[in-house]
Amino acid sequence: TIAVLTDEGRKDVLRIPGQDLGSPVYSPTGHMLFIRRPDNAGMWAVPVSLDRLETTGEPFPVTPTGSGRFIISRDGTLVFVRPAPPRETRVVLVDRQGLVVRTIGEPQLNQFLPAISPDGRRLAVSASGNFGPDIWVHEVESGTQMRLTFDDAAEVAAAWLPGGERIAFARRGALAGNVNMLVAAADG
């Protein structure tokens, strides 16, 4: 569901049962663009009325890609960046001049959204696995790494709690739109 908050409360603008709808953006062409998953995944558009905050037609596909980033200019120009294919990445520590001081951990598929612990000695990062991203914890000094989450769902956006002993993260479940915030001990 894509909804807006008005002075009268929440108003659903678009609802497609069983689908995860996200990243809505209004285009000056009179359309709302959004990402749809899991069925018919890709970027979609639907004509909308801003005055009535409702759709005025049926959704239609724009790109056949289930993810990616896009932005729309004031004149309606759409810029879409396709997602990169899965690739191994490595976390590195760099100095203020941008020179690599050391590598941290082993290469993993698509490491993203790093979060440094309050004491600066550990790094939590999301990395793709067989079933979706999981949270991994890397020791900055030694480079050792430990998988923190093992669920089939996608776990992302790690954030260290102030004491550095626990990590909060988001888990997207198998059901569309089902996202939970969880907390785990940083040492597993």
Side-chain angles (χ1 to χ4, degrees):
T1 302
I2 295 176
V4 294
L5 294 176
T6 68
D7 291 339
E8 290 80 37
R10 176 188 163 128
K11 177 169 171 119
D12 291 349
V13 177
L14 178 64
R15 183 179 181 136
I16 303 175
Q19 296 297 291
D20 183 12
L21 309 178
S23 306
V25 175
Y26 178 75
S27 169
T29 62
H31 296 84
M32 177 179 59
L33 279 76
F34 59 95
I35 298 293
R36 176 181 177 169
R37 299 183 196 90
D39 302 328
N40 299 311
M43 183 192 320
W44 286 64
V46 63
V48 295
S49 166
L50 283 182
D51 295 333
R52 297 190 316 262
L53 295 176
E54 62 188 37
T55 62
T56 59
E58 293 298 314
F60 58 91
V62 177
T63 66
T65 304
S67 63
R69 303 278 187 230
F70 64 91
I71 191 167
I72 300 173
S73 71
R74 289 183 182 170
D75 69 0
T77 301
L78 170 66
V79 176
F80 176 73
V81 178
R82 291 184 190 175
R87 67 179 192 271
E88 282 195 341
T89 56
R90 175 167 269 179
V91 176
V92 296
L93 180 65
V94 298
D95 63 19
R96 294 188 183 272
Q97 287 72 41
L99 300 174
V100 175
V101 175
R102 82 165 70 72
T103 59
I104 301 172
E106 295 298 317
Q108 290 179 279
L109 285 179
N110 295 339
Q111 295 182 85
F112 60 101
L113 298 174
I116 194 81
S117 65
D119 64 7
R121 296 180 6 201
R122 292 173 292 169
L123 179 80
V125 64
S126 297
S128 296
N130 293 335
F131 301 104
D134 283 302
I135 304 297
W136 290 73
V137 177
H138 298 266
E139 297 289 333
V140 173
E141 195 64 36
S142 68
T144 59
Q145 58 194 51
M146 175 198 69
R147 185 174 173 185
L148 183 66
T149 61
F150 292 86
D151 194 90
D152 289 350
E155 287 129 349
V156 297
W160 291 86
L161 274 63
E165 295 172 2
R166 298 186 303 161
I167 298 173
F169 58 92
R171 176 182 285 163
R172 175 174 279 164
L175 299 174
N178 183 12
V179 177
N180 295 303
M181 292 302 297
L182 300 170
V183 176
D187 62 3

